Amino acid sequence: MRRLLPWPVGDAVDLDAAYWVEDPGRQHVVGAMVASADGAAEAEGRAGGLSGPADVRLFALLRGHADVLLVGASTVRIEQYGGDQPSPERRAWRTDRGMAEVPRIAVVTRSCALDPAGPLFTDTMVRPLIVTCSAAPPERVAMLTDVADVVTAGDDSVDIAAALDVLAERGLRRVSCEGGPTLLAQAIAAGRLDELSLTVSPLLLAGPARRILSGPPLRVPVRLRLAHVLEDDDGFLFLRYLLDIRPDQPPDSDAALRSQPPPGMALR
Ligand SMILES: NC(=O)c1ccc[n+]([C@@H]2O[C@H](COP(=O)([O-])OP(=O)(O)OC[C@H]3O[C@@H](n4cnc5c(N)ncnc54)[C@H](OP(=O)(O)O)[C@@H]3O)[C@@H](O)[C@H]2O)c1
């Protein structure tokens, strides 16, 4: 991958350096999404049809930077979501930084309609977390309790801010929110998203596909700051946006913006 902005760097980008936040200080939530050039967040119902090799690599890297992968139950059901299996090198990279070898997975669900024999529970190296609410069907909760840690955050539905607080209390500070659009929109509405990593896939789809956010309009449009744009040889763009909605932004998260271009090269 090459960097196009804030100024071009032709050599292969060091992705760890480009995305790692050294010390977030408090919980840091990154949304990781892919969309077609006309804004579709799914192709024939799946995100995978939008992706490419470099996107898969970046997605794995963002997982490698996370303590926990936060995901909505529909994405788990549709994508046959399984556990994360980092390479031995990535595991060592993580433990060198005081992280667990493998990120946990936290699934947000009211229905708790998740198959206890599914890959989410059988392929994982760490017991998943199920984040549900008081209105969840007790018999389904009981089934999941055998295969996961079940926590409650909210009454009729999950309060996403409370859910994130529960994760933080468990020491899960680096959160990669992997969607889907319903969950991500709530994280933003709750003012809890710090970054958006958006891959723009060189595809046009039209049709009824939803966008990367789904749900009621945000009360106030959220302003984004572009930290960098990368590209690969296949025409994918990788946009790292920072959100301006949190006044206590971690000091290093906008390092790319604050650093200076080489002499003679103007910032756009
Ligand atoms: N483009 C991308 O990068 C990307 C990423 C991820 C997913 N996707 C695509 O997006 C689609 C799925 O996304 P989606 O928006 O339909 O669903 P989603 O956000 O993955 O999951 C929605 C489900 O999560 C649970 N949920 C969400 N908020 C909740 C709350 N506040 N309280 C309780 N439960 C809550 C509910 O589960 P229950 O029904 O179990 O109660 C709800 O039905 C799939 O097509 C997937 O392929 C695309």
Side-chain angles (χ1 to χ4, degrees), residues 3 49 67 74 76 80 93 115 127 135 144 146 159 179 187 190 196-197 215:
R3 195 175 79 181
D67 295 318
S74 292
V76 171
Q80 288 290 303
W93 186 96
D115 178 4
R127 210 169 147 85
L144 294 182
D146 289 340
D159 175 334
L196 174 65
S197 169

Side-chain angles (χ1 to χ4, degrees), residues 32-35 40-42 45-48 50 71-79 108-114 131-133 156-160 178-184 186 210 212 214:
M33 300 295 280
V34 58
E42 65 205 33
R46 307 276 297 256
L50 301 169
V71 63
S74 292
T75 296
V76 171
R77 289 187 287 260
I78 292 168
E79 303 277 349
V108 175
T109 176
R110 181 187 197 273
S111 74
C112 289
L114 296 164
V131 187
T132 190
C133 52
D156 192 49
S157 63
V158 173
D159 175 334
I160 300 301
E178 300 190 344
T182 305
L183 179 64
L184 185 64
Q186 293 174 73
R210 71 179 77 195
I212 61 164
S214 176

Side-chain angles (χ1 to χ4, degrees), residues 12-244:
V13 170
D14 177 346
L15 288 178
D16 276 319
Y19 284 92
W20 176 249
V21 176
E22 189 56 46
D23 180 11
R26 51 151 175 80
Q27 194 175 56
H28 187 77
V29 185
V30 179
M33 300 295 280
V34 58
S36 69
D38 60 334
E42 65 205 33
E44 296 177 349
R46 307 276 297 256
L50 301 169
S51 193
D55 181 52
V56 169
R57 199 152 53 89
L58 175 59
F59 195 65
L61 178 127
L62 293 175
R63 286 184 155 196
H65 287 191
D67 295 318
V68 61
L69 314 175
L70 182 67
V71 63
S74 292
T75 296
V76 171
R77 289 187 287 260
I78 292 168
E79 303 277 349
Q80 288 290 303
Y81 211 83
D84 196 45
Q85 310 276 356
S87 65
E89 295 74 27
R90 179 55 70 179
R91 284 185 215 173
W93 186 96
R94 289 172 61 89
T95 51
D96 283 351
R97 285 158 184 78
M99 304 171 78
E101 276 195 358
V102 177
R104 285 196 88 167
I105 299 178
V107 182
V108 175
T109 176
R110 181 187 197 273
S111 74
C112 289
L114 296 164
D115 178 4
L120 173 69
F121 303 105
T122 53
D123 284 1
T124 38
M125 299 171 65
V126 203
R127 210 169 147 85
L129 273 164
I130 301 298
V131 187
T132 190
C133 52
S134 308
E139 65 289 351
R140 289 224 180 106
V141 173
M143 283 171 67
L144 294 182
T145 307
D146 289 340
V147 289
D149 293 346
V150 180
V151 295
T152 301
D155 298 328
D156 192 49
S157 63
V158 173
D159 175 334
I160 300 301
L164 285 164
D165 289 344
V166 167
L167 300 182
E169 282 159 20
R170 291 172 171 247
L172 302 171
R173 291 195 311 151
R174 298 175 182 272
V175 183
S176 178
C177 179
E178 300 190 344
T182 305
L183 179 64
L184 185 64
Q186 293 174 73
I188 293 175
R192 296 296 289 263
L193 200 79
D194 296 283
E195 291 191 29
L196 174 65
S197 169
L198 175 64
T199 297
V200 180
S201 174
L203 283 174
L204 297 173
L205 294 173
R210 71 179 77 195
R211 295 174 291 155
I212 61 164
L213 300 185
S214 176
L218 296 170
R219 274 186 300 117
V220 181
V222 170
R223 188 124 190 104
L224 302 172
R225 280 186 294 147
L226 190 58
H228 71 219
V229 180
L230 313 180
E231 69 165 351
D232 74 354
D233 291 338
D234 298 326
F236 284 77
L237 294 175
F238 305 90
L239 285 67
R240 182 183 180 212
Y241 285 114
L242 308 178
L243 275 72
D244 272 343

